[in-house]
Amino acid sequence: MRVKLVAGNWKMNGSLASSQALLKAILPPLAALDRAHYAVCPPFPYLAAVGQALRGSKVQLGAQDLSQFDDGAYTGAVSGAMLAECGCRHVIVGHSERRTVFGETDEIVAAKYAQALKHGLSPILCVGEVLGERESGVTETVVARQLDAVTARCGTQALSRGVVAYEPVWAIGTGKTASPEQAQAVHAFIRGRVGAADRRTAEALLILYGGSVKAGNAAQLFAMPDVDGGLIGGASLVADEFVAICRAAQSAQETVRT
Ligand code: PGA
């Protein structure tokens, strides 16, 4: 059975002090949630301090990006080995902001996925279409291309060592959430595509939804059969919102069990 995961993507927000304050607010209520898994992905400079604060809690540490290279003359880049050393378990790969603002191609994203695996990190592979692509009916083509770039390089079974996050770009930070049905349709497409190559990998694959998830819509999204949790941006910076989303994952998980 798949266990739901809620991961907070803090993006380039906050300060060391606000990170500590946020953790102080979320860790006690999250300690009471035992059914799903939870993670936070702070900016690089805060990883060590956040990792320290997470000690003794079940909340896992993640990073927002990693280099496609091992080590060497790559000014500004951070390697998978460094992230592993900082205690990261997860790393977001191919977020739409990395693809659009920083020009990451499908090939670079696939190379980053491979690096994450090499260093024992669980990559959270983001895929998703922009508004124009949805409107012109090519959502599945785009998502398939992004997914296939990774499986071509790493193999389908490599997906079982990571997580996929479907994040329609038009829903990220816009307040426009995909409806539960829209999310479910793309999640089912992703599982079906992986399943055509490897049924067991597809059945075990966690597929998160991301894009304006809030306390008010998380429960309906998590109730969809192929929505295995969420990648949360803006709402992960607001303690009450993030805790409520985590509670929704816990409740959805309880429903699955009974
Ligand atoms: P959002 O961001 O929840 O603020 O829409 C999600 C993400 O970019 O991962």
Side-chain angles (χ1 to χ4, degrees):
M1 190 197 52
R2 300 190 297 270
V3 176
K4 284 189 165 40
L5 168 68
V6 176
N9 173 9
W10 293 359
K11 308 194 181 184
M12 196 174 75
N13 289 299
S15 63
L16 195 50
S18 70
S19 303
Q20 300 286 11
L22 182 57
L23 293 172
K24 213 172 153 206
I26 66 171
L27 290 181
L30 291 193
L33 306 183
D34 53 357
R35 291 282 168 95
H37 291 146
Y38 310 99
V40 291
C41 305
F44 288 139
Y46 307 150
L47 281 172
V50 170
Q52 186 74 31
L54 295 181
R55 285 227 177 113
S57 86
K58 285 171 294 181
V59 179
Q60 300 159 350
L61 185 65
Q64 300 172 17
D65 183 34
L66 83 168
S67 171
Q68 66 270 44
F69 304 114
D70 264 322
D71 54 20
Y74 303 106
T75 302
V78 175
S79 71
M82 293 168 185
L83 297 180
E85 210 181 4
C86 282
C88 286
R89 167 156 187 180
H90 303 275
V91 59
I92 300 170
V93 169
H95 189 280
S96 70
E97 287 147 19
R98 299 296 318 173
R99 293 178 189 264
T100 55
V101 184
F102 299 97
E104 290 186 9
T105 61
D106 289 334
E107 289 65 38
I108 293 174
V109 172
K112 290 187 171 196
Y113 194 99
Q115 276 294 320
L117 294 186
K118 181 172 173 187
H119 296 288
L121 300 162
S122 169
I124 301 175
L125 170 66
C126 298
V127 297
E129 80 288 1
V130 300
L131 185 59
E133 291 165 338
R134 172 158 286 263
E135 286 173 348
S136 49
V138 295
T139 295
E140 292 186 354
T141 313
V142 171
V143 168
R145 192 201 71 224
Q146 294 171 332
L147 207 56
D148 291 355
V150 170
T151 52
R153 178 167 182 138
C154 305
T156 303
Q157 282 186 0
L159 293 179
S160 64
R161 295 168 62 197
V163 171
V164 172
Y166 169 56
E167 297 210 308
V169 181
W170 49 271
I172 295 177
T174 58
K176 272 192 219 163
T177 318
S179 69
E181 293 73 25
Q182 281 173 321
Q184 167 59 28
V186 180
H187 285 226
F189 168 75
I190 293 169
R191 202 178 305 287
R193 188 164 186 91
V194 176
D198 185 331
R199 194 175 55 82
R200 284 180 60 182
T201 297
E203 279 170 5
L205 180 64
L206 286 192
I207 308 175
L208 312 184
Y209 169 78
S212 299
V213 178
K214 305 183 265 288
N217 58 27
Q220 292 139 293
L221 286 160
F222 296 166
M224 292 289 123
D226 288 297
V227 178
D228 305 308
L231 182 57
I232 320 298
S236 73
L237 297 166
V238 183
D240 290 351
E241 283 280 318
F242 189 64
V243 170
I245 293 166
C246 292
R247 285 207 178 103
Q250 162 99 357
S251 306
Q253 195 70 41
E254 280 166 357
T255 313
V256 174
R257 283 193 181 193
T258 49

